C-alpha cells in the first residue's frame, strides 16, 4: 500500500483526461444557418412566375404541403438585394402592363422588401455570437517581481534580504457545451536574477473543472444558442409573411387599377350617350315636340355621369400611384411614369373544394405566422430548461495535474520536466445561494411565459381557421354575385331600352329614361365590381392559406413547417 499516492494520482489524471475527451466528443461544431434571403421568381427552372398563375387566372385547390421545398432546391446564398437604380427612362412594359410583369418588378425593386430582407441576416448574427463563449481563449503574461524585506535566521538573528523574480506564463482555456472547462497552462519562473547563482523553475499542467449540478449538461448550456437559432428561423417566417402580404397587396392594387379602368370605360360610354341625348332633347324642344323641362333633366343626368367619370379617373390615378410605389421602377421621376392596362380578364371557371376544411388544413401547416408561433413555444421550452438548471446549487469537481522542472537555466528546467517533481490537486467546490429568489423568479416567469405562448398558439389556430373559412365564404359570395349581377344587368338593359323607345314616341319622360339609365349604370358597375371582388377574394384566400407564393411561382424562405429538413438549414 506504500504506492497508493502514485496510484491515486494516476487515477485522477485518467479521470481528468476522460472528462476532457467526453467534452470534446460531445461538442458539435456550430453549423450556421443558410443565410439565403432571396425573394423572387422560383430558381428551379423557369425563372419567373408562370404566366397563368401570375395573371391571377386559375387558382389551384390546396394540397397538403410536401416536406420538400415547393420553390425548388436551395442554392448558394445570394447577396441581399440592393437598392435598384435603373436609368431615368424606365420601360415598364413593351405593351400593356400585365400582372406578371408588375409582380416581378415589385419583388425586384420594392424598397420595403429590401428592408425586410435584411432582418433574417441580422437575426443570424446572434447564434455565432452566443457560440463564441465556447471558443478557446489563449492567455499570456510576463512580469518582474522585486521584494526587499527582513527575516530571521535559524539562530534568531534578523537580517535584510531582497529578491528579483521574472515570471512568464501562457495558457489555453476552453469551455465546452457540457459545462466542462479545460485549461492547459505553462509557466517559467526565474528566481534571484540579480545573483550569479539563479534557479529556474518551469511548470506545465492541466486543469479540468466539471459542474455536477448547476451548469452541467448541454441542455442548459446550449439553451440560449438554440433560442438564437429559433429566432433566426422565426425571422424566415416573418419575411415570408411579409412577402405574402406584399404580393397580395400588389395583386389587389393591380385589380383596383383594372376596376377603375372598367368604370372609366362604362362612364365614358354613358357620358357620350347622355351628351347625344341632350343634343336630341334640345332639337326636339326647338321643334316644340317636348317641354323645356326635359332639357333640365337631361343636363342634370349628364352632369351626374361626368361626376362619376371624374371619380373613376381619380381612382385610377391613385391606384396607379400605389402600384408604381410598389414596383419602384427607379429613375429620378418614376412617379411620372404611366402604363397601359390590358383587356379586362375573363373570369376563370374556378371550382372550390366542397369542404373548407381542406383549405384550413393547409393553412395550419403553411401559415408563416402560425409556424412562427410554434417556434416561440419551443423557445419557451428552452427557457424553462435553462432557468430550471439555475435553481440547482453549484457543485463542481476540479482536478489539476502538473509537472515541474528545476535547473539553473531556462532550457535545463524544461528538460527536467520528465523528472519526479509533480503536483496534483483535486476536490469539489460548492456554493449554495441562500433563498435563491432571483433564480426562482426567473424560472416562474419562464414557465408562465411558456404557458402564455402555448395558449396564444391555440388562440391563433382558431383565428386561422376563422380567417380561412371567412375567406372561403367570400369566394362563394363573389362567385354567386357574378351570375346574379349579370342577370340583373340583362333585365335592366331591356328596361332601359324599352324606356328609351317609349320616350321616343312620347309615352315616357326624360326623368324616367335617366332613372332607367341610372339603374343600368349601377348594374354595370356591380358586374365589374363583382368580377374584381372575385379575383381579389381568391388572392386573399390563398394568402390566408399560406400558399399564395407557391401558386405564383415565387421563392422565399420559410416555405416549410418547423421541423422539416429544409427549415433546419
Amino acid at each position: 500500500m506504500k504506492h497508493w499516492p502514485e496510484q491515486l494520482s494516476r487515477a485522477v489524471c485518467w479521470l481528468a483526461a476522460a472528462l476532457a475527451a467526453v467534452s470534446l466528443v460531445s461538442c458539435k461544431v456550430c453549423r450556421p444557418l443558410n443565410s439565403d434571403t432571396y425573394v423572387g421568381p422560383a430558381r428551379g427552372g423557369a425563372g419567373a412566375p408562370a404566366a397563368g398563375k401570375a395573371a391571377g387566372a386559375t387558382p389551384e385547390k390546396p394540397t397538403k404541403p410536401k416536406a420538400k421545398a415547393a420553390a425548388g432546391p436551395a442554392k448558394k446564398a445570394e447577396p441581399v438585394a440592393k437598392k435598384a437604380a435603373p436609368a431615368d427612362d424606365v420601360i415598364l412594359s413593351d405593351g400593356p402592363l400585365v400582372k406578371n410583369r408588375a409582380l416581378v418588378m415589385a419583388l425586384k425593386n420594392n424598397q420595403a422588401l429590401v428592408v425586410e430582407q435584411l432582418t433574417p441576416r441580422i437575426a443570424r448574427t446572434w447564434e455565432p455570437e452566443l457560440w463564441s463563449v465556447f471558443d478557446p481563449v489563449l492567455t499570456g503574461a510576463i512580469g518582474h517581481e522585486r521584494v526587499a524585506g527582513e527575516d530571521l535566521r535559524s539562530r534568531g538573528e534578523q537580517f535584510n534580504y531582497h529578491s528579483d523574480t521574472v515570471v512568464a506564463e501562457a495558457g489555453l482555456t476552453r469551455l465546452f457545451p457540457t459545462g466542462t472547462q479545460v485549461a492547459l497552462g505553462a509557466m517559467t519562473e526565474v528566481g534571484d536574477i540579480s545573483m550569479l547563482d539563479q534557479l529556474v523553475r518551469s511548470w506545465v499542467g492541466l486543469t479540468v473543472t466539471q459542474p455536477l449540478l448547476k451548469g452541467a449538461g448541454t441542455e442548459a448550456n446550449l439553451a440560449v444558442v438554440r433560442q438564437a437559432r429559433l429566432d433566426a428561423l422565426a425571422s424566415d417566417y416573418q419575411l415570408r409573411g411579409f412577402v405574402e402580404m406584399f404580393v397580395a397587396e400588389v395583386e389587389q392594387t393591380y385589380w383596383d387599377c383594372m376596376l377603375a379602368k372598367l368604370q372609366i370605360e362604362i362612364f365614358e360610354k354613358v357620358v357620350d350617350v347622355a351628351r347625344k341625348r341632350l343634343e336630341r332633347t334640345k332639337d326636339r324642344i326647338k321643334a316644340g315636340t317636348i317641354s323645356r323641362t326635359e332639357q333640365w333633366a337631361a343636363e342634370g343626368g349628364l352632369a351626374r355621369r361626368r361626376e362619376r367619370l371624374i371619380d373613376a379617373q381619380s381612382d385610377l390615378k391613385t391606384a396607379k400611384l400605389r402600384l408604381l410605389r410598389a414596383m419602384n421602377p427607379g429613375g429620378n421621376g418614376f412617379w411620372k411614369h404611366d402604363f397601359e392596362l390590358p383587356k379586362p380578364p375573363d373570369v376563370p371557371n374556378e371550382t372550390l373544394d366542397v369542404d373548407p376544411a381542406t383549405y384550413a388544413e393547409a393553412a395550419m401547416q403553411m401559415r408563416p405566422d402560425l409556424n412562427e408561433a410554434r417556434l416561440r413555444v419551443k423557445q419557451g421550452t428552452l427557457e424553462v430548461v435553462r432557468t430550471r438548471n439555475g435553481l440547482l446549487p453549484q457543485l463542481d469537481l476540479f482536478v489539476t495535474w502538473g509537472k515541474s522542472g528545476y535547473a539553473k537555466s531556462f532550457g535545463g528546467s524544461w528538460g527536467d520536466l520528465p523528472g519526479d517533481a509533480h503536483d496534483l490537486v483535486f476536490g469539489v467546490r460548492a456554493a449554495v445561494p441562500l433563498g435563491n429568489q432571483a433564480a426562482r423568479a426567473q424560472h416562474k416567469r419562464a414557465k408562465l411565459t411558456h404557458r402564455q405562448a402555448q395558449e396564444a398558439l391555440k388562440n391563433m389556430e382558431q383565428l386561422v381557421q376563422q380567417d380561412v373559412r371567412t375567406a372561403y365564404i367570400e369566394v362563394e359570395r363573389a362567385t354567386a354575385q357574378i351570375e346574379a349581377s349579370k342577370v340583373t344587368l340583362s333585365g335592366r338593359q331591356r328596361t332601359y331600352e324599352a324606356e328609351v323607345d317609349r320616350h321616343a314616341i312620347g309615352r315616357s319622360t326624360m326623368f324616367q329614361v335617366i332613372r332607367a339609365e341610372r339603374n343600368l349604370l349601377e348594374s354595370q358597375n356591380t358586374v365589374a365590381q363583382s368580377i374584381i371582388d372575385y379575383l381579389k377574394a381568391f388572392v386573399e384566400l390563398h394568402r390566408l392559406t399560406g400558399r399564395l407564393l407557391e401558386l405564383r411561382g415565387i421563392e422565399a424562405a420559410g416555405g416549410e413547417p418547423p421541423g422539416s429538413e429544409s427549415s433546419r438549414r
Side-chain angles (χ1 to χ4, degrees):
M1 295 294 296
K2 64 179 180 178
H3 300 295
W4 71 267
E6 181 179 354
Q7 294 175 355
L8 179 61
S9 173
R10 290 179 179 178
V12 172
C13 292
W14 279 109
L15 176 61
L19 287 175
V22 169
S23 299
L24 287 171
V25 171
S26 63
C27 178
K28 296 182 179 179
V29 179
C30 174
R31 182 185 179 187
L33 286 171
N34 181 11
S35 60
D36 187 3
T37 57
Y38 170 80
V39 174
R43 297 172 291 184
K53 292 180 181 178
T58 306
E60 301 176 6
K61 294 182 182 180
T63 56
K64 292 184 179 180
K66 299 179 181 179
K68 185 178 179 181
K75 293 188 176 182
K76 184 179 179 180
E78 295 187 0
V80 65
K82 298 181 180 179
K83 183 178 179 180
D88 290 345
D89 297 330
V90 179
I91 300 176
L92 296 182
S93 180
D94 295 335
L97 181 65
V98 296
K99 186 162 67 67
N100 177 31
R101 175 66 174 165
L103 279 176
V104 171
M105 291 186 65
L107 292 173
K108 181 180 179 181
N109 301 325
N110 184 263
Q111 200 62 43
L113 182 57
V114 172
V115 174
E116 290 297 325
Q117 283 179 277
L118 292 173
T119 301
R121 299 175 68 88
I122 295 173
R124 278 161 170 73
T125 62
W126 288 104
E127 185 180 358
E129 178 181 341
L130 294 172
W131 265 107
S132 64
V133 72
F134 303 112
D135 291 341
V137 179
L138 181 64
T139 60
I142 185 170
H144 178 205
E145 180 184 22
R146 172 171 292 179
V147 179
E150 297 181 353
D151 202 351
L152 293 176
R153 300 183 187 276
S154 59
R155 292 175 295 179
E157 298 177 357
Q158 185 176 357
F159 71 97
N160 297 327
Y161 76 94
H162 73 275
S163 65
D164 290 288
T165 306
V166 172
V167 179
E169 58 184 11
L172 183 65
T173 305
R174 182 172 185 182
L175 176 66
F176 292 90
T178 56
T180 307
Q181 186 176 45
V182 179
L184 178 63
M187 180 193 69
T188 295
E189 181 182 42
V190 181
D192 293 330
I193 60 174
S194 61
M195 301 175 61
L196 296 178
D197 191 14
Q198 63 182 12
L199 178 65
V200 179
R201 172 178 176 261
S202 294
W203 177 89
V204 61
L206 176 69
T207 300
V208 178
T209 304
Q210 175 61 54
L212 301 179
L213 295 176
K214 184 178 181 179
T218 58
E219 289 188 358
N221 293 315
L222 291 181
V224 292
V225 178
R226 290 166 178 165
Q227 287 176 326
R229 171 157 291 206
L230 292 177
D231 264 331
L233 293 175
S235 68
D236 289 343
Y237 291 120
Q238 291 174 353
L239 175 62
R240 188 175 186 86
F242 176 85
V243 174
E244 284 194 337
M245 291 186 65
F246 175 68
V247 169
E249 180 182 353
V250 171
E251 290 196 12
Q252 292 176 353
T253 303
Y254 184 88
W255 295 131
D256 286 339
C257 292
M258 189 66 70
L259 175 61
K261 178 186 177 183
L262 290 173
Q263 290 176 337
I264 289 175
E265 293 175 354
I266 293 171
F267 293 134
E268 284 178 342
K269 293 178 181 179
V270 172
V271 167
D272 186 60
V273 171
R275 185 182 298 111
K276 292 179 180 178
R277 182 188 304 115
L278 177 60
E279 293 174 356
R280 290 195 302 269
T281 301
K282 289 179 179 180
D283 293 340
R284 295 180 64 183
I285 292 174
K286 289 180 181 179
T289 57
I290 59 175
S291 171
R292 183 170 295 276
T293 57
E294 296 289 316
Q295 179 179 345
W296 301 338
E299 289 176 346
L302 176 59
R304 286 192 293 271
R305 304 305 180 260
R306 284 176 175 170
E307 290 176 1
R308 300 291 296 273
L309 177 59
I310 292 172
D311 289 341
Q313 291 172 339
S314 176
D315 291 341
L316 179 59
K317 291 179 181 179
T318 303
K320 281 187 173 182
L321 282 179
R322 297 205 315 268
L323 190 57
L324 280 172
R325 168 68 178 84
M327 293 188 297
N328 189 26
N332 295 328
F334 76 87
W335 297 106
K336 299 179 181 179
H337 286 299
D338 197 7
F339 53 87
E340 296 296 327
L341 293 170
K343 182 181 178 181
D346 296 329
V347 179
N349 185 18
E350 176 66 18
T351 56
L352 285 174
D353 193 284
V354 295
D355 187 3
T358 305
Y359 296 89
E361 182 181 354
M364 296 298 287
Q365 299 183 57
M366 299 299 294
R367 276 281 291 266
D369 52 352
L370 199 56
N371 288 330
E372 180 188 352
R374 293 189 177 105
L375 290 181
R376 300 306 180 191
V377 172
K378 291 184 178 181
Q379 281 186 316
T381 303
L382 291 172
E383 185 66 12
V384 171
V385 171
R386 187 187 70 82
T387 56
R388 184 189 300 123
N389 183 264
L391 297 175
L392 300 174
Q394 189 79 36
L395 182 63
D396 299 342
L397 172 66
F398 64 90
V399 178
T400 300
W401 177 81
K403 291 284 291 181
S404 300
Y406 299 89
K408 295 183 179 181
S409 64
F410 176 79
S413 65
W414 284 93
D416 190 50
L417 285 178
D420 295 334
H422 68 276
D423 55 272
L424 176 65
V425 179
F426 62 92
V428 291
R429 186 183 300 112
V432 181
L434 301 179
N436 206 12
Q437 295 184 20
R440 293 178 185 274
Q442 291 175 2
H443 185 56
K444 182 178 181 179
R445 183 168 58 248
K447 290 194 297 182
L448 293 174
T449 304
H450 182 225
R451 180 184 173 186
Q452 184 183 45
Q454 290 177 321
E455 298 298 332
L457 176 60
K458 295 178 181 178
N459 181 59
M460 183 174 290
E461 288 175 346
Q462 292 181 348
L463 291 175
V464 167
Q465 291 271 354
Q466 177 183 337
D467 290 344
V468 172
R469 293 174 186 273
T470 302
Y472 181 91
I473 294 173
E474 175 61 20
V475 172
E476 287 184 322
R477 184 204 66 80
T479 305
Q481 189 69 26
I482 292 176
E483 296 301 323
S485 61
K486 286 182 177 180
V487 173
T488 303
L489 174 61
S490 177
R492 288 183 173 178
Q493 179 71 36
R494 291 192 296 268
T495 301
Y496 169 72
E497 293 173 354
E499 203 65 44
V500 171
D501 293 340
R502 292 178 61 193
H503 181 265
I505 60 177
R507 298 184 61 183
S508 179
T509 63
M510 182 59 64
F511 175 77
Q512 291 173 318
V513 172
I514 293 176
R515 183 176 59 184
E517 184 184 63
R518 181 189 61 195
N519 293 336
L520 175 62
L521 179 61
E522 293 299 330
S523 293
Q524 290 173 334
N525 278 332
T526 301
V527 171
Q529 184 71 58
S530 62
I531 293 175
I532 299 303
D533 287 347
Y534 173 86
L535 296 170
K536 293 170 71 172
F538 265 110
V539 173
E540 185 66 7
L541 176 61
H542 292 313
R543 184 188 73 83
L544 294 174
T545 306
R547 299 184 66 243
L548 180 61
L549 301 186
E550 177 186 349
L551 295 176
R552 297 298 184 262
I554 297 173
E555 180 180 343
E560 296 78 32
S564 62
E565 181 61 28
S566 54
S567 68
R568 294 192 295 266
R569 291 174 181 170

